[in-house]
Amino acid sequence: MTRRIIALAVIIAAALSAALIAPDAAYAAGEAAEEYVRLAPGVTAEQMSADYWLSRKNKRAVRADKLIMTEAEIAEFNRANAKQISIGGESYALTDIPDAVPGSVVRALIENHALPDDPASRYVNGQATDSAYWDALAANRAEDAIGESVTVRFGYSVRRASLRSFPTNDFAGSTPTDKLYDKLVMSEFMPYLPLAVLHESADGEWYYVVLYGFGGWVEKKNVALCRDRADWEARMSPEEFLTVTGRELRLAEEPYAPQISALSLPMGTKLPLVRESDAPTTVNARRNYGCYVVKLPVRGDDGYIRDEYALVPVTEDVTVGCLPFTAENELRLAFRLLGDRYGWAGMYGANDCSGIVHEIFACFGFTLPRTAEAIMHVDGWEYLDLTAGSDNDKLKELADIPAGSLLAFPGHIMLYLGRAGDRAYVISAVGSFAEPGKTDYAVNSVTVNSLADTVRRSGKTWLTSLDGALVCKYR
């Protein structure tokens, strides 16, 4: 009876957390906050909370807890936008990649990551590179080993890493002292995503893979291969799963399971969930009282996938299934990332502007394209072209769109919060902006800022630069 009561309590708690994310931790408002916390120009302490923005109204506003899209509608949206991979001039969904592709296509994908025109403009270990350095990287791509036809292997990412343009962990900066923008990094490589393996490096340490519209090199240790396509496809849609809804979930240190020990799982990660009746009572010498039991894919000694049980305390910031897609949940997720570091293409366990949009929308079950530009042109949502309008025209448009819409200018995507007075505000992962009249552009944080009070390196404000808005359609 006791076990049934505990299980029922867990189910009730999970149902409540799935319906609505708890309010943000109280941000110390007023003079005390401003005494210790720096705010972007035009931002007040009370605006550093989702609650402030959820209380704002506009012409198209609806209740913040109103469902925007159902799970079925999100699944249809994903199907409509699934063709994100370009091979041989055709677009494919990841699941549509054939079992074999022409070697010429694989070679073209690999060579699409071009050598720099000026090797001396890249610095490794503080030293300018030369053509010999890049020739060695190109040789490790082992293009001469690509046959007429390439058999595709299928697998999953098993930990967070970087997807790279060449098979190396070197940091190639644009200055001798740059530590933030590795020109060899293309994208974040998130855990437990399906992928296709097309090639491997000459040194045997790297795979060339494609996933969610991007191709690149990743170390083999971060990939577990499936033994066949059927297993790969079966793992894509677990019937029951947990979704990480906090900034990250860090698993406990596990001496009996080193592959998952202290593993960091970012917001939006989905973990296959095991029912209490089917789960072992002891996992890694721990009794599973008060914990969810999940089954995580890991890379076996032979390179193939196997499953490892892990425990997730019910007190962690997770939810059973996906969160309902509401404006309230969307903004609360965004504010859980407030103040986090900016990480170009997922560097340093952080993320860039499109990366945090990925993380937030993954909590609702969306599979979005990788780049900001591609996200802004998905099918199924309403796109507003703002390129021709004046600043006043743009402010009028923004007065009419709901919080949680996506805004963009070339190279940057933002989550819209709303208007306050004559200003419009966003939250995003920001690499750089400056206060008007100043030239210190480094920001490198997830920040709330006013579009009119921040200036790009071009000298234009964010408001003037704004060229598009994407409104998630309400039902």
Side-chain angles (χ1 to χ4, degrees), residues 56-62 396-402:
R56 312 296 292 179
K57 302 297 181 184
N58 61 45
K59 293 179 182 178
R60 295 180 60 174
V62 296
K396 288 178 182 178
E397 289 275 10
L398 294 178
D400 294 341
I401 71 172

Side-chain angles (χ1 to χ4, degrees), residues 12 120 127 163 192 260 306 344 422 430 441 472:
I12 292 171
Q127 301 297 316
L163 198 64
Y192 313 141
I260 60 170
R306 63 179 180 82
W344 162 249
D422 61 353
V430 184
Y441 288 92
C472 308

Side-chain angles (χ1 to χ4, degrees), residues 356-370:
I356 70 165
V357 171
H358 266 263
E359 292 185 19
I360 292 166
F361 279 77
C363 294
F364 308 120
F366 287 98
T367 303
L368 295 178
R370 167 64 183 100

Side-chain angles (χ1 to χ4, degrees), residues 354 357-358 368-378 406 413 470:
S354 58
V357 171
H358 266 263
L368 295 178
R370 167 64 183 100
T371 65
E373 181 180 4
I375 292 172
M376 291 298 292
H377 291 90
V378 293
L406 297 173
I413 189 169
L470 188 66

Side-chain angles (χ1 to χ4, degrees), residues 46 162 174 199 238 241 256 305 346 394 443:
E46 63 181 347
S162 294
S174 55
H199 188 47
F241 56 88
Y256 292 99
I305 200 165
K394 292 174 183 180
V443 178

Side-chain angles (χ1 to χ4, degrees), residues 170-186:
D170 287 350
F171 184 107
S174 55
T175 69
T177 58
D178 181 16
K179 295 183 182 296
L180 298 181
Y181 295 90
D182 185 351
K183 298 301 183 181
L184 290 166
V185 174
M186 300 174 53

